[in-house]
Amino acid sequence: MSISSGQSVMALIGVWAAVMFWASGCVECHFQTLVHLQPAVKDEVQTKAVRELLHRLLGPRARDFLLTVNRSMPGAEDRLWDRFELRSLPDGRVSVLGSTGVAAATGLYRYLSSFCGCHISWSGDQLKIPSPLPRVHRPVRVTSPNRFRYYQNVCAYSYSFVWWDWERWEREIDWMALSGINLPLAFTGQEAIWQRVYISLGFKQTEIDNFVVGPAFLAWGRMGNMHSWAGPLSNSWNKNQLNLQHQILQRMRSLGMLPILPAFAGFVPGAITRLFPKENITRLGSWGHLNCSYSCSYLLDSKSLLFQQIGNMFLLKLIKEFGTNHIYSADTFNEMTPSSSDPKYLSTISNAVFKSMTQVDPLAVWLMQGWLFLKRPSFWQPTQIKALLHGVPLGRMIVLDLFADSRPAYSFTESFYGQPFIWCMLHNFGGNTGMYGTVETINKGPFEARFFPNSTMVGTGVTPEGIEQNDVVYELMNEIGWCKEPLNLTEWVMSYAQRRYGMKNDGAVAAWLLLFQSVYNNTFYRPDHNRSPLVHKPSLKLDTTLWYNKSDVYEAWRQMQTAVSDLFSSETFRYDLVDVTRQSVQLLVSEFYEDLKNAFLKYSIVGLQTSGNVLVHNLLPELDNLLSSDRHFLLGHWLQTARSLATNEKEADLYEFNARNQITLWGPGGNLLDYANKQWGGLVNDYYALRWELFVSTLIKCLEKRIPFNQAHFNQIVFQVEQNFIVNKVKYPDKPVGNTVEIAKKLFLKYYPQAMKRLN
């Protein structure tokens, strides 16, 4: 047995008793089975950590607050639920008492936002704190109705976190704590542990190098979707990530979080057949339009002793290196179809995965993404879902209802047939930059799930594939994780507009009200935020339908311009000014695309030349200039941070290749082309605009030669443009260039009248 020193016989008895409760049919017992999932560090350690966070956040003003952690704080009936209390002290300071470091940090942010009108986000902070501090006339006591507030998506480690250093991670963990997150994924550095396992098993280094994927694709290597692409990983990479994981885990745990570590899902390098030729190995089908050179993963027989040997080796080494909080994540069939639908087969596999955890850590709880049930619904019928879930004792698995904001799975699985689940807002695919949200759904969905018959819901979560966009949606969802009933969205967003910029401005408030009723309120199933023609390979069949009225976005654009004179000094306002302008220009790109298509269908070379010239030589370059003026929209920053992690030029070139390939071709042949598209300065002009220029010229040639447009032929020639971008080595600024306000104003004055004319 290799588990952390904080465990006891009583904890083991608690797990056994909880399982007995489940066996007797107790509906609420899913809470009891998770009772041992509590912060392992003392209150004093958490108090010190949250006070250090306070100093990082507020500097000299930190002395105006007294933050304390006491898990036995009065006024709570159950210690499992995080809670905080706010009160004013006689000396003018404000006391924030929390049951955990996370609860205390959440209480601090509640005071800063509700009493001081402050705001904290990825795109900037607004921390104009009144002096003296506003008084809390009556103590404010809040208890979260959710046992857990989960954060992260396996994919976010590739789409967003991949090039982060400790400074960036430190800020993110602070944001997590202030946002109330107590259950974060912690996947960094696991490749270093796998390296040790593979070497111990007898793999050659060349076999390992030929199996692993590059940094920008690690998420899908970890889930068994792909292998052998864009690598290998150097020793320096593994060492750097290992050290980073130690820092990440120390900080998360010091704040009372419960970081989730990876576990063995059954995937092995293909070279295992050399070492263990008699083992029964299943080869799964291809994934992501990749051929079997890069997918068709090898899955070890779950009944094999080798399955348990490898799973045990990995977890033993992992826990020895990092310790544990007893919760582990593994996904065996993420977007892949099992080789058999036999319920016994599926139960055997999930049981084997769980057994490989509990043989090392008897207190293990398995956290699994529920995405597979949505991605392959024809395979995952009730019998198959139940079989997979019931291969694990009830209460020892937590399922992430990953896409509950659009397609909740708890409702058609009877609350995952008794396994605890977390209601999640996925929101974002590929880290795309378009405005998008489902605010009405996330304002009611978690409450509906909690009161679903025999609900096994144990928390809420945010599970975006990529972050650092659409701040408003994440602020809303994180706040809902602490609410007992839905919010008044109109009041909430009006307050948000004021807090975000540090003062009330009627134009800004009007803009946000319009955005909340339109682009941020998709009530349809299909997520549309990454479908703009701007960022997709040109064709005559692109979809330009919308779930909202474009007039609302254009009017929000106008209202933001009226607010410039009051708010231009606010970093968050300038970010939003860029984003609303970008969204409006994105809509105009769709308009010009329709003009191009219609001109071609009407055999109008002049129409093609006119619309194409505006799109390629005016609108897109001007958008690129705007994006290049804000640090949050820079291709150069993405590339520079990738190169900064290298120890030599060869390594830097590999990391840059990874960075460029992921956001464009995504694979050797455009396998998931444009899936991770970004509207960034440098990328718009040197990638998207070049594709559109080639498209326009191709359409003109077709009309001149009186031949039909051939999409397959165009795909071949545009592939050269896409490949050239990946290898061209052009350096892009990693610092903003130009005056955002002036560029945005010129764009507005030039294109807003055209937008209005097109509406009429």
Side-chain angles (χ1 to χ4, degrees):
M1 184 185 301
S2 178
I3 50 182
S4 66
S5 59
Q7 289 144 214
S8 64
V9 174
M10 290 303 295
L12 287 166
I13 292 173
V15 173
W16 174 83
V19 174
M20 293 301 101
F21 273 124
W22 266 110
S24 66
C26 173
V27 173
E28 294 297 326
C29 293
H30 51 275
F31 293 112
Q32 299 299 326
T33 61
L34 307 174
V35 68
H36 65 293
L37 298 180
Q38 299 185 53
V41 300
K42 296 180 179 179
D43 292 351
E44 294 80 5
V45 175
Q46 295 183 63
T47 297
K48 180 176 183 291
V50 77
R51 289 178 178 176
E52 289 172 349
L53 183 160
L54 172 67
H55 280 276
R56 286 191 297 274
L57 185 67
L58 300 184
R61 292 303 302 272
R63 65 174 67 98
D64 293 343
F65 296 85
L66 176 64
L67 267 61
T68 310
V69 174
N70 180 359
R71 69 187 70 196
S72 300
M73 62 183 286
E77 292 135 9
D78 196 319
R79 295 186 184 184
L80 291 179
W81 273 257
D82 282 358
R83 56 212 180 274
F84 63 80
E85 176 188 272
L86 308 176
R87 63 171 63 234
S88 286
L89 300 174
D91 60 6
R93 292 184 300 163
V94 167
S95 166
V96 183
L97 176 65
S99 59
T100 64
V102 166
T106 307
L108 171 65
Y109 189 44
R110 177 67 61 89
Y111 176 80
L112 291 174
S113 58
S114 298
F115 288 82
C116 302
C118 292
H119 174 74
I120 297 166
S121 72
W122 291 313
S123 56
D125 300 338
Q126 189 285 109
L127 293 169
K128 298 176 184 176
I129 303 173
S131 185
L133 291 177
R135 290 194 61 78
V136 182
H137 295 291
R138 291 184 178 180
V140 174
R141 298 183 179 94
V142 177
T143 299
S144 173
N146 295 295
R147 174 72 173 84
F148 301 114
R149 280 87 51 205
Y150 173 82
Y151 174 53
Q152 295 180 25
N153 184 306
V154 175
C155 298
Y157 276 84
S158 290
Y159 287 135
S160 292
F161 309 156
V162 56
W163 314 122
W164 283 8
D165 58 12
W166 169 240
E167 181 181 2
R168 181 63 188 86
W169 265 111
E170 181 175 56
R171 173 165 173 87
E172 190 72 8
I173 296 170
D174 285 354
W175 176 87
M176 291 182 207
L178 293 163
S179 301
I181 305 299
N182 67 350
L183 191 65
L185 209 59
F187 266 27
T188 302
Q190 62 179 282
E191 284 68 36
I193 307 300
W194 277 117
Q195 167 79 13
R196 297 173 189 173
V197 171
Y198 294 147
I199 292 296
S200 297
L201 288 169
F203 285 91
K204 300 174 183 177
Q205 188 60 51
T206 53
E207 292 173 330
I208 300 171
D209 290 344
N210 290 334
F211 169 71
V212 299
V213 296
F217 301 93
L218 284 173
W220 303 279
R222 291 165 176 172
M223 291 187 287
N225 299 124
M226 65 187 303
H227 56 82
S228 310
W229 168 246
L233 298 174
S234 66
N235 288 334
S236 64
W237 172 271
N238 285 337
K239 182 179 179 181
N240 171 277
Q241 297 296 294
L242 194 72
N243 293 335
L244 191 58
Q245 176 76 332
H246 276 288
Q247 292 176 290
I248 291 168
L249 289 172
Q250 188 280 327
R251 181 60 55 79
M252 286 179 172
R253 287 166 175 159
S254 73
L255 288 165
M257 297 178 187
L258 304 172
I260 302 160
L261 296 175
F264 179 55
F267 303 110
V268 289
I272 198 166
T273 56
R274 177 185 65 82
L275 294 168
F276 304 97
K278 294 183 179 180
E279 285 293 331
N280 182 17
I281 310 287
T282 299
R283 196 143 196 214
L284 299 180
S286 63
W287 175 87
H289 308 292
L290 293 160
N291 61 33
C292 287
S293 297
Y294 302 109
S295 66
C296 307
S297 296
Y298 294 83
L299 182 63
L300 194 57
D301 183 357
S302 58
K303 295 183 291 232
S304 166
L305 293 177
L306 185 60
F307 190 107
Q308 295 303 318
Q309 180 187 347
I310 294 176
N312 293 352
M313 285 178 67
F314 175 70
L315 210 56
L316 280 168
K317 292 179 185 294
L318 189 80
I319 293 174
K320 181 179 180 180
E321 184 72 36
F322 298 126
T324 185
N325 292 84
H326 314 298
I327 183 163
Y328 308 94
S329 175
D331 293 287
T332 304
F333 297 117
N334 178 66
E335 299 188 352
M336 294 184 292
T337 303
S339 59
S340 171
S341 61
D342 183 350
K344 291 183 180 179
Y345 169 78
L346 297 171
S347 291
T348 299
I349 287 184
S350 58
N351 183 262
V353 173
F354 181 66
K355 183 180 177 182
S356 73
M357 300 175 189
T358 54
Q359 283 188 340
V360 176
D361 180 357
L363 296 176
V365 173
W366 178 6
L367 181 132
M368 185 186 78
Q369 297 182 119
W371 177 252
L372 73 169
F373 304 135
L374 300 180
K375 191 66 177 178
R376 298 283 190 272
S378 61
F379 178 91
W380 292 106
Q381 296 294 302
T383 300
Q384 284 68 38
I385 297 175
K386 186 181 292 187
L388 186 76
L389 296 178
H390 284 186
V392 178
L394 289 177
R396 300 296 297 277
M397 170 186 277
I398 300 175
V399 183
L400 297 178
D401 199 347
L402 205 72
F403 201 23
D405 56 319
S406 288
R407 286 188 65 203
Y410 76 86
S411 59
F412 65 80
T413 59
E414 300 174 21
S415 279
F416 294 97
Y417 301 112
Q419 293 290 17
F421 75 92
I422 294 176
W423 192 101
C424 298
M425 177 193 77
L426 177 53
H427 178 262
N428 179 273
F429 291 90
N432 309 134
T433 44
M435 285 183 167
Y436 181 78
T438 57
V439 293
E440 284 190 30
T441 301
I442 65 177
N443 191 41
K444 64 182 180 181
F447 308 101
E448 292 175 347
R450 188 176 296 128
F451 294 107
F452 188 74
N454 298 319
S455 175
T456 55
M457 176 179 163
V458 293
T460 56
V462 287
T463 55
E465 288 192 350
I467 64 166
E468 299 178 311
Q469 34 69 31
N470 292 295
D471 293 311
V472 65
V473 181
Y474 296 90
E475 177 113 347
L476 176 64
M477 186 64 217
N478 285 330
E479 189 168 328
I480 285 171
W482 286 80
C483 293
K484 292 182 171 63
E485 59 186 16
L487 298 164
N488 182 312
L489 290 180
T490 299
E491 292 178 0
W492 188 90
V493 76
M494 291 175 70
S495 171
Y496 176 87
Q498 184 170 338
R499 291 188 297 107
R500 187 160 167 83
Y501 309 136
M503 63 180 291
K504 183 179 180 181
N505 179 279
D506 291 341
V509 170
W512 276 106
L513 286 169
L514 287 161
L515 294 171
F516 244 45
Q517 74 181 26
S518 58
V519 71
Y520 281 119
N521 194 28
N522 185 0
T523 56
F524 301 98
Y525 154 59
R526 187 174 181 180
D528 293 334
H529 61 299
N530 63 348
R531 286 173 54 212
S532 168
L534 193 163
V535 291
H536 282 81
K537 186 198 293 286
S539 83
L540 293 173
K541 296 181 180 180
L542 295 180
D543 188 356
T544 59
T545 57
L546 300 170
W547 70 93
Y548 59 92
N549 293 322
K550 62 182 70 174
S551 59
D552 288 336
V553 173
Y554 289 149
E555 176 60 13
W557 187 18
R558 188 188 71 81
Q559 293 286 359
M560 291 294 277
Q561 279 294 324
T562 69
V564 168
S565 59
D566 284 346
L567 304 179
F568 71 92
S569 62
S570 163
E571 179 185 18
T572 45
F573 174 76
R574 294 193 302 273
Y575 174 92
D576 292 340
L577 181 64
V578 171
D579 209 23
V580 172
T581 305
R582 179 208 51 72
Q583 189 76 17
S584 301
V585 171
Q586 173 178 304
L587 293 175
L588 284 169
V589 170
S590 295
E591 299 278 5
F592 281 106
Y593 164 70
E594 293 293 343
D595 290 347
L596 289 172
K597 188 165 66 172
N598 291 333
F600 180 75
L601 295 176
K602 293 177 180 178
Y603 302 95
S604 173
I605 293 177
V606 173
L608 281 171
Q609 291 172 331
T610 302
S611 297
N613 184 64
V614 175
L615 175 64
V616 172
H617 299 296
N618 292 276
L619 189 59
L620 293 181
E622 288 166 340
L623 172 60
D624 195 89
N625 288 339
L626 176 68
L627 297 169
S628 298
S629 72
D630 189 288
R631 67 183 180 91
H632 302 91
F633 296 90
L634 297 178
L635 170 63
H637 176 72
W638 172 251
L639 300 181
Q640 185 276 328
T641 52
R643 295 188 69 88
S644 70
L645 296 183
T647 57
N648 56 59
E649 194 67 16
K650 182 179 179 181
E651 212 175 324
D653 288 344
L654 177 64
Y655 296 169
E656 181 171 349
F657 171 84
N658 271 255
R660 286 176 179 255
N661 182 274
Q662 186 213 82
I663 60 176
T664 54
L665 283 175
W666 211 115
N671 307 83
L672 291 178
L673 181 71
D674 299 322
Y675 182 84
N677 63 75
K678 307 290 188 295
Q679 293 177 36
W680 283 343
L683 191 62
V684 169
N685 210 37
D686 284 8
Y687 182 73
Y688 299 125
L690 293 182
R691 295 201 305 191
W692 280 104
E693 183 175 28
L694 182 59
F695 181 66
V696 172
S697 64
T698 302
L699 292 181
I700 291 173
K701 287 179 182 177
C702 287
L703 291 186
E704 290 175 339
K705 295 181 179 180
R706 298 180 181 273
I707 58 174
F709 174 74
N710 186 315
Q711 184 68 51
H713 177 67
F714 176 75
N715 290 347
Q716 291 177 345
I717 58 176
V718 79
F719 185 62
Q720 296 303 315
V721 173
E722 295 159 346
Q723 280 190 316
N724 288 341
F725 171 80
I726 291 172
V727 299
N728 66 19
K729 298 293 183 67
V730 172
K731 286 196 171 184
Y732 296 91
D734 62 349
K735 299 291 188 296
V737 177
N739 185 302
T740 297
V741 172
E742 291 180 0
I743 299 170
K745 182 178 181 179
K746 289 179 181 178
L747 270 165
F748 176 78
L749 292 175
K750 183 174 181 179
Y751 291 107
Y752 179 76
Q754 294 185 36
M756 290 296 97
K757 185 177 180 181
R758 287 174 177 272
L759 286 176
N760 299 324

